[in-house]
Amino acid sequence: QVQLVESGGGLVQAGGSLRLSCAASGRTFSSYAMGWFRQAPGKEREFVATVSWSGGVTSYADSVKGRFSISRDNAKNTVYLQMNSLKPEDTAVYYCAQSKGATTQRISGYDYWGQGTQVTVSS
């Protein structure tokens, strides 16, 4: 059974930084792409970033491109999301997800999800 546990969320002022972590267990971590999504109150869950199984291919939502960076450490079964220059509109619950295989921006392409971690950016 796959388990994904996010950590690193919190309250930060606009312009600040946070690093989210997601520890995975349950199946061969290095065989699957990983992704980060977020959901703000009253809004649908949206794609943030994804990284291939090797870490060599990444993709970002336009809204975070140049500010966020996704990476992974297959030896630690962990994926990270470095968030810089945070804006109040980045406030959301951030979810880690494990892909069914390849990198994708589609929610339907992920079959395991973490419980989420709250990120709040104050103005």
Side-chain angles (χ1 to χ4, degrees):
Q1 182 175 351
V2 174
Q3 286 191 320
L4 303 174
V5 180
E6 301 100 333
S7 61
L11 174 64
V12 64
Q13 288 188 332
S17 298
L18 282 175
R19 188 175 84 152
L20 305 183
S21 299
C22 172
S25 62
R27 64 182 182 183
T28 307
F29 179 74
S30 58
S31 296
Y32 300 90
M34 298 293 295
W36 285 97
F37 291 77
R38 67 187 182 185
Q39 188 166 17
K43 294 188 177 181
E44 295 185 350
R45 191 170 299 190
E46 64 176 6
F47 168 76
V48 174
T50 184
V51 60
S52 64
W53 65 270
S54 67
V57 177
T58 58
S59 177
Y60 298 91
D62 287 344
S63 59
V64 307
K65 204 170 291 183
R67 301 188 297 122
F68 290 12
S69 178
I70 188 172
S71 62
R72 65 190 296 160
D73 185 338
N74 287 342
K76 296 183 178 179
N77 287 358
T78 301
V79 62
Y80 305 97
L81 184 68
Q82 178 66 44
M83 305 185 293
N84 299 327
S85 302
L86 282 161
K87 304 175 181 179
E89 51 263 44
D90 294 317
T91 295
V93 177
Y94 283 71
Y95 297 91
C96 167
Q98 190 168 72
S99 169
K100 296 176 182 177
T103 54
T104 178
Q105 298 187 5
R106 298 180 178 180
I107 291 176
S108 60
Y110 295 81
D111 51 1
Y112 291 99
W113 295 81
Q115 82 288 350
T117 186
Q118 177 70 47
V119 171
T120 302
V121 184
S122 63
S123 57

